[in-house]
Amino acid sequence: MGKIVVEKSPPLKGTVRISGAKNSALPILAASLLGTEDIVLEDVPNLKDVDVFCEVLSLLGADVEKYGGGKIKINSANMDKYETPYELMSKMRASFLVMGPLLTRLGKAKTSLPGGCAIGTRPIDLHLKGFKALGAEIDVDHGYVGAFGDKLKGDRIYLDFPSVGATENVMMAAVLAEGETTIDNAAMEPEIVDLANFLNKMGADISGAGTSSIRIRGVEKLGGATHSIIPDRIEAGTFMVASAITGGDIIIENVIPSHIKPAIAKLREIGCEIWENGDKIRVIGTADRKAVDIKTLPYPGFPTDMQAQFMSLMSVTEGTSVIIETVFENRFMHVDELKRMGANIKIDGRSAIVQGVNSLTSAPVKATDLRAGAALILAGLVADGKTTIDNIYHIDRGYDGIENKLSELGAKIYRIE
Protein backbone atom coordinates (compact mmCIF):
# COMPACT_ATOMS: atom_id res chain seq x y z
CA MET A 1 0.00 0.00 0.00
CA GLY A 2 1.31 3.45 -0.89
CA LYS A 3 1.83 6.49 1.30
CA ILE A 4 1.28 10.20 0.88
CA VAL A 5 4.12 12.59 1.70
CA VAL A 6 3.31 16.22 2.54
CA GLU A 7 5.92 18.94 2.97
CA LYS A 8 5.46 22.38 4.46
CA SER A 9 3.92 24.37 1.63
CA PRO A 10 3.47 28.01 0.65
CA PRO A 11 0.00 29.62 0.80
CA LEU A 12 -2.17 27.68 -1.66
CA LYS A 13 -3.44 29.69 -4.61
CA GLY A 14 -5.53 28.90 -7.69
CA THR A 15 -8.76 27.23 -8.70
CA VAL A 16 -9.99 23.74 -7.88
CA ARG A 17 -13.06 21.86 -9.14
CA ILE A 18 -15.00 19.75 -6.68
CA SER A 19 -15.97 16.21 -7.68
CA GLY A 20 -19.37 14.58 -7.36
CA ALA A 21 -20.39 13.67 -3.81
CA LYS A 22 -19.34 10.23 -2.55
CA ASN A 23 -22.21 10.20 -0.06
CA SER A 24 -24.66 10.87 -2.89
CA ALA A 25 -23.13 8.59 -5.53
CA LEU A 26 -23.21 5.44 -3.37
CA PRO A 27 -26.93 5.45 -2.47
CA ILE A 28 -27.79 6.41 -6.04
CA LEU A 29 -25.75 3.46 -7.32
CA ALA A 30 -27.76 1.28 -4.92
CA ALA A 31 -31.01 2.82 -6.17
CA SER A 32 -30.07 1.92 -9.74
CA LEU A 33 -31.00 -1.67 -8.82
CA LEU A 34 -34.63 -0.51 -8.77
CA GLY A 35 -34.69 0.51 -12.44
CA THR A 36 -35.69 -1.71 -15.35
CA GLU A 37 -34.17 0.46 -18.09
CA ASP A 38 -30.82 2.14 -18.78
CA ILE A 39 -29.54 4.48 -16.09
CA VAL A 40 -26.76 6.96 -16.87
CA LEU A 41 -24.98 8.65 -13.97
CA GLU A 42 -22.69 11.64 -14.54
CA ASP A 43 -20.06 13.32 -12.38
CA VAL A 44 -19.53 10.13 -10.37
CA PRO A 45 -16.29 10.54 -8.37
CA ASN A 46 -13.36 8.26 -9.14
CA LEU A 47 -13.11 6.54 -5.76
CA LYS A 48 -12.31 3.12 -4.30
CA ASP A 49 -15.78 2.97 -2.73
CA VAL A 50 -17.40 3.57 -6.11
CA ASP A 51 -15.32 0.77 -7.64
CA VAL A 52 -16.37 -1.62 -4.87
CA PHE A 53 -20.02 -0.65 -5.22
CA CYS A 54 -19.96 -1.20 -8.98
CA GLU A 55 -18.50 -4.65 -8.32
CA VAL A 56 -21.39 -5.37 -5.93
CA LEU A 57 -23.92 -4.33 -8.59
CA SER A 58 -22.26 -6.57 -11.18
CA LEU A 59 -22.30 -9.58 -8.85
CA LEU A 60 -26.02 -9.02 -8.28
CA GLY A 61 -26.61 -9.33 -12.02
CA ALA A 62 -26.61 -5.70 -13.18
CA ASP A 63 -24.73 -4.62 -16.32
CA VAL A 64 -22.27 -1.87 -15.36
CA GLU A 65 -20.24 0.10 -17.90
CA LYS A 66 -17.75 2.79 -16.89
CA TYR A 67 -16.81 5.61 -19.21
CA GLY A 68 -14.31 8.43 -18.80
CA GLY A 69 -15.15 11.68 -17.06
CA GLY A 70 -17.19 10.16 -14.25
CA LYS A 71 -19.90 8.59 -16.40
CA ILE A 72 -21.39 5.18 -15.52
CA LYS A 73 -24.17 3.30 -17.32
CA ILE A 74 -26.17 0.70 -15.42
CA ASN A 75 -28.92 -1.67 -16.50
CA SER A 76 -30.54 -3.83 -13.81
CA ALA A 77 -33.34 -5.27 -15.93
CA ASN A 78 -31.98 -8.81 -15.58
CA MET A 79 -30.83 -8.59 -11.97
CA ASP A 80 -31.75 -11.87 -10.25
CA LYS A 81 -29.36 -12.33 -7.32
CA TYR A 82 -30.21 -11.14 -3.82
CA GLU A 83 -27.13 -12.13 -1.80
CA THR A 84 -23.95 -10.04 -1.54
CA PRO A 85 -20.57 -11.49 -0.52
CA TYR A 86 -18.80 -10.71 2.75
CA GLU A 87 -15.53 -9.88 0.95
CA LEU A 88 -17.06 -6.78 -0.66
CA MET A 89 -19.54 -5.82 2.04
CA SER A 90 -16.81 -5.74 4.71
CA LYS A 91 -14.93 -3.02 2.81
CA MET A 92 -17.48 -0.24 3.28
CA ARG A 93 -20.58 0.48 5.26
CA ALA A 94 -22.53 2.02 2.37
CA SER A 95 -22.76 -1.41 0.74
CA PHE A 96 -25.63 -2.16 3.15
CA LEU A 97 -27.74 0.26 1.07
CA VAL A 98 -28.47 -2.52 -1.43
CA MET A 99 -30.79 -4.13 1.15
CA GLY A 100 -33.73 -1.79 0.55
CA PRO A 101 -33.68 -2.02 -3.27
CA LEU A 102 -33.21 -5.82 -3.27
CA LEU A 103 -35.96 -6.37 -0.70
CA THR A 104 -38.59 -4.30 -2.48
CA ARG A 105 -37.74 -5.49 -6.01
CA LEU A 106 -36.99 -9.19 -5.45
CA GLY A 107 -38.81 -9.78 -2.18
CA LYS A 108 -35.64 -10.87 -0.42
CA ALA A 109 -32.16 -9.65 0.43
CA LYS A 110 -29.24 -11.19 2.29
CA THR A 111 -25.97 -9.53 3.15
CA SER A 112 -23.20 -9.58 5.74
CA LEU A 113 -23.03 -6.93 8.42
CA PRO A 114 -21.37 -3.82 6.93
CA GLY A 115 -17.81 -2.56 7.34
CA GLY A 116 -16.28 0.88 6.69
CA CYS A 117 -14.49 3.45 8.86
CA ALA A 118 -14.25 2.52 12.55
CA ILE A 119 -15.67 5.82 13.79
CA GLY A 120 -18.45 4.39 15.96
CA THR A 121 -21.01 1.63 16.27
CA ARG A 122 -23.44 3.02 13.66
CA PRO A 123 -25.94 0.19 14.26
CA ILE A 124 -28.23 -0.99 11.49
CA ASP A 125 -31.20 -1.40 13.81
CA LEU A 126 -32.95 1.66 12.36
CA HIS A 127 -32.70 0.18 8.85
CA LEU A 128 -34.19 -3.10 10.07
CA LYS A 129 -36.88 -1.32 12.07
CA GLY A 130 -37.98 0.41 8.87
CA PHE A 131 -38.01 -2.83 6.86
CA LYS A 132 -40.10 -4.52 9.57
CA ALA A 133 -42.61 -1.66 9.54
CA LEU A 134 -43.02 -2.24 5.79
CA GLY A 135 -43.86 -5.89 6.47
CA ALA A 136 -40.52 -7.64 6.02
CA GLU A 137 -39.30 -10.53 8.17
CA ILE A 138 -35.76 -10.06 9.45
CA ASP A 139 -33.26 -12.82 10.21
CA VAL A 140 -29.85 -12.02 11.75
CA ASP A 141 -27.56 -15.03 12.06
CA HIS A 142 -23.79 -15.70 12.03
CA GLY A 143 -22.87 -12.20 10.84
CA TYR A 144 -25.46 -12.11 8.05
CA VAL A 145 -28.72 -10.19 7.77
CA GLY A 146 -31.66 -11.48 5.77
CA ALA A 147 -34.85 -9.59 4.93
CA PHE A 148 -37.85 -11.26 3.32
CA GLY A 149 -41.23 -9.95 2.17
CA ASP A 150 -43.18 -10.76 -1.00
CA LYS A 151 -45.06 -7.45 -1.15
CA LEU A 152 -44.13 -4.62 1.17
CA LYS A 153 -46.88 -2.34 2.45
CA GLY A 154 -46.52 1.35 3.25
CA ASP A 155 -46.57 2.52 6.87
CA ARG A 156 -45.64 5.45 9.10
CA ILE A 157 -42.07 5.03 10.34
CA TYR A 158 -40.39 7.11 13.06
CA LEU A 159 -36.59 7.04 13.19
CA ASP A 160 -35.21 7.36 16.73
CA PHE A 161 -32.25 9.24 15.23
CA PRO A 162 -32.19 11.02 11.84
CA SER A 163 -29.84 8.44 10.33
CA VAL A 164 -28.83 9.19 6.75
CA GLY A 165 -28.34 5.53 5.81
CA ALA A 166 -31.60 4.38 7.39
CA THR A 167 -33.54 7.20 5.71
CA GLU A 168 -32.06 6.22 2.33
CA ASN A 169 -32.60 2.49 2.75
CA VAL A 170 -36.19 2.81 3.95
CA MET A 171 -36.97 5.35 1.22
CA MET A 172 -35.67 2.97 -1.47
CA ALA A 173 -37.59 0.02 0.01
CA ALA A 174 -40.81 2.08 0.11
CA VAL A 175 -40.83 3.26 -3.53
CA LEU A 176 -42.25 -0.07 -4.77
CA ALA A 177 -44.28 -0.83 -1.65
CA GLU A 178 -48.06 -0.89 -1.78
CA GLY A 179 -49.67 2.31 -0.50
CA GLU A 180 -48.07 5.30 1.19
CA THR A 181 -45.07 5.47 3.53
CA THR A 182 -44.10 8.39 5.76
CA ILE A 183 -40.64 8.62 7.34
CA ASP A 184 -40.69 10.93 10.39
CA ASN A 185 -37.52 12.36 11.94
CA ALA A 186 -35.87 11.67 8.59
CA ALA A 187 -32.36 12.87 7.81
CA MET A 188 -32.36 16.17 5.90
CA GLU A 189 -28.95 16.06 4.20
CA PRO A 190 -28.57 17.29 0.60
CA GLU A 191 -27.63 13.73 -0.38
CA ILE A 192 -31.14 12.61 0.67
CA VAL A 193 -32.61 15.22 -1.67
CA ASP A 194 -30.33 14.08 -4.51
CA LEU A 195 -31.42 10.46 -4.04
CA ALA A 196 -35.10 11.45 -4.00
CA ASN A 197 -34.66 13.53 -7.17
CA PHE A 198 -33.01 10.57 -8.89
CA LEU A 199 -35.76 8.16 -7.83
CA ASN A 200 -38.45 10.59 -8.99
CA LYS A 201 -36.75 10.78 -12.39
CA MET A 202 -37.11 6.99 -12.58
CA GLY A 203 -40.83 7.25 -11.86
CA ALA A 204 -41.03 7.23 -8.05
CA ASP A 205 -43.42 9.50 -6.15
CA ILE A 206 -41.49 11.09 -3.27
CA SER A 207 -42.14 14.43 -1.58
CA GLY A 208 -40.68 16.17 1.45
CA ALA A 209 -37.03 15.14 0.94
CA GLY A 210 -34.84 17.69 2.71
CA THR A 211 -37.37 18.04 5.55
CA SER A 212 -37.87 15.87 8.63
CA SER A 213 -40.92 14.17 7.10
CA ILE A 214 -40.66 12.32 3.78
CA ARG A 215 -43.70 10.87 2.04
CA ILE A 216 -43.38 8.04 -0.49
CA ARG A 217 -46.33 6.82 -2.54
CA GLY A 218 -45.59 3.35 -3.89
CA VAL A 219 -45.52 2.73 -7.65
CA GLU A 220 -45.62 -0.47 -9.70
CA LYS A 221 -42.15 -0.16 -11.25
CA LEU A 222 -39.31 2.23 -11.99
CA GLY A 223 -37.72 2.87 -15.37
CA GLY A 224 -34.48 4.59 -16.37
CA ALA A 225 -32.97 8.05 -15.94
CA THR A 226 -29.97 10.27 -16.59
CA HIS A 227 -28.72 12.03 -13.49
CA SER A 228 -25.73 14.15 -12.47
CA ILE A 229 -24.40 13.68 -8.92
CA ILE A 230 -24.38 16.82 -6.73
CA PRO A 231 -20.99 18.32 -5.75
CA ASP A 232 -19.26 16.90 -2.67
CA ARG A 233 -19.80 19.41 0.14
CA ILE A 234 -17.20 17.71 2.37
CA GLU A 235 -14.51 17.88 -0.31
CA ALA A 236 -15.41 21.55 -0.81
CA GLY A 237 -15.13 22.15 2.93
CA THR A 238 -11.76 20.40 3.02
CA PHE A 239 -10.32 22.73 0.35
CA MET A 240 -11.78 25.72 2.18
CA VAL A 241 -9.84 24.66 5.27
CA ALA A 242 -6.73 24.11 3.10
CA SER A 243 -6.91 27.77 2.10
CA ALA A 244 -7.52 28.86 5.68
CA ILE A 245 -4.70 26.85 7.25
CA THR A 246 -2.06 27.94 4.70
CA GLY A 247 -3.20 31.58 4.47
CA GLY A 248 -4.05 30.91 0.83
CA ASP A 249 -6.44 32.27 -1.79
CA ILE A 250 -8.44 29.50 -3.44
CA ILE A 251 -11.44 29.66 -5.77
CA ILE A 252 -13.52 26.51 -5.37
CA GLU A 253 -15.72 25.61 -8.36
CA ASN A 254 -18.69 23.24 -8.68
CA VAL A 255 -19.98 23.80 -5.16
CA ILE A 256 -23.42 24.53 -3.70
CA PRO A 257 -22.76 27.15 -0.96
CA SER A 258 -26.07 26.50 0.80
CA HIS A 259 -24.92 22.92 1.50
CA ILE A 260 -21.92 24.09 3.56
CA LYS A 261 -23.30 27.07 5.47
CA PRO A 262 -21.92 25.92 8.86
CA ALA A 263 -18.35 25.59 7.51
CA ILE A 264 -18.59 28.98 5.79
CA ALA A 265 -19.90 30.59 8.99
CA LYS A 266 -17.12 29.10 11.14
CA LEU A 267 -14.37 30.11 8.71
CA ARG A 268 -15.71 33.68 8.70
CA GLU A 269 -15.77 33.58 12.50
CA ILE A 270 -12.15 32.42 12.45
CA GLY A 271 -11.22 35.44 10.31
CA CYS A 272 -11.20 34.20 6.71
CA GLU A 273 -12.61 36.28 3.88
CA ILE A 274 -15.19 34.35 1.85
CA TRP A 275 -17.09 35.34 -1.29
CA GLU A 276 -19.91 33.33 -2.81
CA ASN A 277 -20.69 33.63 -6.51
CA GLY A 278 -23.12 31.11 -8.00
CA ASP A 279 -21.42 27.71 -7.89
CA LYS A 280 -18.08 29.21 -6.82
CA ILE A 281 -16.62 30.12 -3.43
CA ARG A 282 -13.44 32.11 -2.88
CA VAL A 283 -11.65 31.62 0.43
CA ILE A 284 -8.78 33.87 1.54
CA GLY A 285 -6.97 32.69 4.66
CA THR A 286 -5.27 34.87 7.26
CA ALA A 287 -2.47 34.43 9.78
CA ASP A 288 -4.52 36.38 12.33
CA ARG A 289 -7.05 33.66 13.14
CA LYS A 290 -9.35 33.43 16.13
CA ALA A 291 -10.18 30.26 18.05
CA VAL A 292 -13.79 29.04 17.74
CA ASP A 293 -15.95 26.38 19.34
CA ILE A 294 -17.64 23.70 17.22
CA LYS A 295 -20.41 21.20 17.94
CA THR A 296 -21.23 18.57 15.34
CA LEU A 297 -24.90 17.92 14.64
CA PRO A 298 -27.05 16.25 11.98
CA TYR A 299 -27.72 18.44 8.95
CA PRO A 300 -28.23 21.40 8.80
CA GLY A 301 -25.84 21.58 11.76
CA PHE A 302 -22.05 21.47 11.57
CA PRO A 303 -21.12 18.22 9.75
CA THR A 304 -19.27 15.52 11.66
CA ASP A 305 -17.37 14.86 8.41
CA MET A 306 -15.67 18.30 8.77
CA GLN A 307 -14.74 17.96 12.44
CA ALA A 308 -11.27 16.47 11.92
CA GLN A 309 -10.25 19.03 9.28
CA PHE A 310 -11.25 21.93 11.54
CA MET A 311 -9.32 20.35 14.41
CA SER A 312 -6.15 20.55 12.30
CA LEU A 313 -6.91 24.23 11.66
CA MET A 314 -7.60 24.93 15.34
CA SER A 315 -4.34 23.17 16.28
CA VAL A 316 -2.37 26.06 14.72
CA THR A 317 -4.79 28.86 15.64
CA GLU A 318 -3.96 30.96 18.70
CA GLY A 319 -6.28 30.45 21.66
CA THR A 320 -8.40 27.62 22.99
CA SER A 321 -11.08 25.89 20.94
CA VAL A 322 -13.58 23.29 22.13
CA ILE A 323 -14.88 20.74 19.63
CA ILE A 324 -17.86 18.63 20.72
CA GLU A 325 -18.68 15.49 18.72
CA THR A 326 -22.33 14.44 19.13
CA VAL A 327 -22.86 12.24 16.06
CA PHE A 328 -20.27 9.44 16.42
CA GLU A 329 -18.79 8.30 19.72
CA ASN A 330 -15.40 7.25 18.35
CA ARG A 331 -14.46 10.09 16.03
CA PHE A 332 -11.40 11.46 17.81
CA MET A 333 -8.93 8.82 16.63
CA HIS A 334 -7.03 11.47 14.66
CA VAL A 335 -6.19 13.28 17.91
CA ASP A 336 -3.28 10.97 18.77
CA GLU A 337 -1.89 11.39 15.25
CA LEU A 338 -2.11 15.19 15.44
CA LYS A 339 -0.44 15.09 18.87
CA ARG A 340 2.45 13.18 17.29
CA MET A 341 2.91 16.29 15.13
CA GLY A 342 2.97 18.58 18.18
CA ALA A 343 -0.68 19.53 18.54
CA ASN A 344 -1.91 20.30 22.07
CA ILE A 345 -5.26 18.50 22.37
CA LYS A 346 -6.99 17.00 25.39
CA ILE A 347 -10.01 14.69 25.20
CA ASP A 348 -12.78 14.85 27.77
CA GLY A 349 -15.55 12.42 26.83
CA ARG A 350 -17.07 13.71 23.61
CA SER A 351 -15.19 17.03 23.81
CA ALA A 352 -11.75 17.91 22.50
CA ILE A 353 -10.00 20.94 24.01
CA VAL A 354 -7.56 22.31 21.45
CA GLN A 355 -4.88 24.77 22.57
CA GLY A 356 -3.33 26.36 19.51
CA VAL A 357 0.44 26.03 19.04
CA ASN A 358 2.81 28.17 16.96
CA SER A 359 3.81 25.34 14.66
CA LEU A 360 3.55 21.63 14.02
CA THR A 361 6.42 19.30 13.15
CA SER A 362 6.43 16.43 10.69
CA ALA A 363 6.01 12.85 11.84
CA PRO A 364 5.06 9.46 10.42
CA VAL A 365 1.28 9.21 10.95
CA LYS A 366 -1.58 7.01 9.78
CA ALA A 367 -5.05 7.78 8.48
CA THR A 368 -7.32 6.09 11.02
CA ASP A 369 -10.38 6.87 8.89
CA LEU A 370 -11.36 8.86 5.81
CA ARG A 371 -11.70 12.36 7.28
CA ALA A 372 -8.79 11.81 9.68
CA GLY A 373 -6.64 11.26 6.60
CA ALA A 374 -7.73 14.61 5.17
CA ALA A 375 -6.99 16.29 8.50
CA LEU A 376 -3.44 14.90 8.52
CA ILE A 377 -2.83 16.14 4.98
CA LEU A 378 -3.97 19.62 6.06
CA ALA A 379 -1.71 19.50 9.12
CA GLY A 380 1.19 18.36 6.94
CA LEU A 381 0.80 21.45 4.73
CA VAL A 382 1.92 23.68 7.63
CA ALA A 383 4.18 21.29 9.59
CA ASP A 384 7.95 21.69 9.48
CA GLY A 385 9.62 18.93 7.46
CA LYS A 386 8.05 15.98 5.63
CA THR A 387 4.94 14.27 6.97
CA THR A 388 4.41 10.70 5.79
CA ILE A 389 0.84 9.40 5.96
CA ASP A 390 0.13 5.67 5.98
CA ASN A 391 -3.19 3.78 5.58
CA ILE A 392 -4.09 6.09 2.70
CA TYR A 393 -6.65 3.63 1.33
CA HIS A 394 -9.03 5.44 3.69
CA ILE A 395 -8.30 8.71 1.87
CA ASP A 396 -8.78 7.08 -1.54
CA ARG A 397 -12.21 5.90 -0.41
CA GLY A 398 -13.50 9.46 -0.28
CA TYR A 399 -11.26 11.93 -2.14
CA ASP A 400 -10.88 11.92 -5.91
CA GLY A 401 -7.18 12.64 -6.61
CA ILE A 402 -6.67 14.90 -3.59
CA GLU A 403 -2.89 15.04 -3.94
CA ASN A 404 -3.14 16.10 -7.60
CA LYS A 405 -5.67 18.85 -6.84
CA LEU A 406 -3.59 20.18 -3.93
CA SER A 407 -0.41 20.01 -5.99
CA GLU A 408 -1.99 22.18 -8.69
CA LEU A 409 -2.69 24.77 -5.97
CA GLY A 410 0.99 24.83 -5.00
CA ALA A 411 1.09 22.20 -2.26
CA LYS A 412 4.19 20.06 -1.86
CA ILE A 413 2.50 16.69 -1.80
CA TYR A 414 3.09 13.42 -3.59
CA ARG A 415 2.36 9.71 -3.38
CA ILE A 416 4.98 6.99 -2.94
CA GLU A 417 4.48 3.25 -3.45
Side-chain angles (χ1 to χ4, degrees):
M1 179 60 65
K3 300 180 182 182
I4 287 178
V5 179
V6 190
E7 299 182 34
K8 187 170 186 177
S9 300
L12 303 187
K13 289 180 167 49
T15 301
V16 62
R17 186 186 186 277
I18 299 304
S19 301
K22 163 191 179 262
N23 290 337
S24 189
L26 299 182
I28 285 174
L29 283 168
S32 69
L33 293 173
L34 292 162
T36 55
E37 300 169 15
D38 283 349
I39 289 165
V40 178
L41 302 179
E42 298 170 342
D43 215 6
V44 180
N46 182 23
L47 304 173
K48 294 288 187 189
D49 273 11
V50 169
D51 292 340
V52 172
F53 218 111
C54 286
E55 201 174 337
V56 170
L57 298 184
S58 295
L59 286 172
L60 290 169
D63 292 325
V64 181
E65 295 179 55
K66 288 185 180 178
Y67 302 91
K71 184 177 178 180
I72 298 178
K73 182 180 175 183
I74 303 154
N75 190 301
S76 303
N78 297 320
M79 180 193 67
D80 55 357
K81 296 181 178 63
Y82 66 94
E83 193 169 342
T84 46
Y86 168 78
E87 293 76 22
L88 292 176
M89 303 302 282
S90 63
K91 291 182 180 180
M92 62 171 182
R93 181 173 184 81
S95 52
F96 194 71
L97 291 172
V98 300
M99 284 288 283
L102 290 175
L103 173 61
T104 197
R105 185 161 169 210
L106 299 180
K108 51 191 174 183
K110 186 177 180 182
T111 182
S112 63
L113 292 169
C117 288
I119 57 177
T121 55
R122 303 200 285 186
I124 59 168
D125 58 336
L126 293 179
H127 302 242
L128 303 184
K129 174 184 174 182
F131 296 156
K132 282 182 182 177
L134 296 173
E137 293 182 18
I138 305 297
D139 179 31
V140 182
D141 188 37
H142 296 294
Y144 277 83
V145 182
F148 308 91
D150 286 337
K151 185 60 180 175
L152 303 182
K153 287 185 168 51
D155 200 351
R156 192 167 198 111
I157 299 164
Y158 176 82
L159 298 180
D160 298 322
F161 177 82
S163 159
V164 175
T167 301
E168 292 167 340
N169 231 342
V170 174
M171 188 162 66
M172 288 186 285
V175 291
L176 297 180
E178 190 178 293
E180 185 172 295
T181 300
T182 301
I183 306 173
D184 289 321
N185 198 30
M188 299 189 288
E189 273 75 357
E191 294 80 13
I192 300 286
V193 179
D194 202 27
L195 173 61
N197 289 341
F198 171 66
L199 289 167
N200 283 340
K201 284 182 182 178
M202 294 166 66
D205 187 350
I206 302 171
S207 59
T211 74
S212 62
S213 184
I214 300 175
R215 187 163 63 175
I216 306 109
R217 298 173 188 85
V219 297
E220 285 295 319
K221 68 173 188 173
L222 298 182
T226 297
H227 185 78
S228 185
I229 306 296
I230 59 170
D232 195 312
R233 60 193 170 101
I234 305 303
E235 185 190 10
T238 301
F239 279 96
M240 289 167 64
V241 175
S243 187
I245 201 169
T246 64
D249 182 354
I250 299 177
I251 295 172
I252 302 164
E253 296 182 335
N254 191 38
V255 62
I256 302 175
S258 62
H259 289 177
I260 47 175
K261 282 182 181 177
I264 292 172
K266 283 298 173 186
L267 286 175
R268 283 185 171 140
E269 193 179 333
I270 285 166
C272 296
E273 294 181 60
I274 300 178
W275 287 273
E276 302 173 33
N277 182 16
D279 68 346
K280 298 182 180 66
I281 294 179
R282 183 182 180 188
V283 181
I284 300 178
T286 174
D288 185 23
R289 296 190 296 268
K290 307 181 194 71
V292 297
D293 295 339
I294 288 170
K295 183 178 183 179
T296 67
L297 290 165
Y299 190 86
F302 190 92
T304 179
D305 279 352
M306 284 302 304
Q307 177 255 106
Q309 299 92 312
F310 267 80
M311 190 178 289
S312 290
L313 177 59
M314 293 299 94
S315 295
V316 288
T317 297
E318 186 178 351
T320 303
S321 303
V322 178
I323 299 175
I324 302 172
E325 174 59 58
T326 74
V327 179
F328 293 122
E329 76 280 2
N330 194 26
R331 203 154 201 184
F332 284 147
M333 291 190 295
H334 48 278
V335 169
D336 286 342
E337 302 304 306
L338 288 172
K339 287 169 75 171
R340 286 168 57 80
M341 299 175 71
N344 184 354
I345 306 169
K346 292 185 176 66
I347 300 296
D348 182 8
R350 289 201 169 204
S351 299
I353 297 93
V354 186
Q355 183 68 49
V357 297
N358 290 329
S359 63
L360 299 174
T361 53
S362 61
V365 291
K366 63 181 179 181
T368 52
D369 61 73
L370 168 54
R371 307 307 172 185
L376 294 172
I377 288 176
L378 294 170
L381 292 172
V382 294
D384 294 325
K386 291 183 181 181
T387 299
T388 303
I389 305 169
D390 207 348
N391 283 12
I392 61 170
Y393 67 90
H394 281 303
I395 299 171
D396 291 339
R397 286 185 49 235
Y399 287 94
D400 186 348
I402 190 170
E403 74 273 19
N404 297 327
K405 291 183 178 181
L406 285 169
S407 181
E408 288 174 4
L409 296 170
K412 297 178 180 178
I413 180 172
Y414 51 93
R415 186 180 294 244
I416 57 173
E417 296 303 325

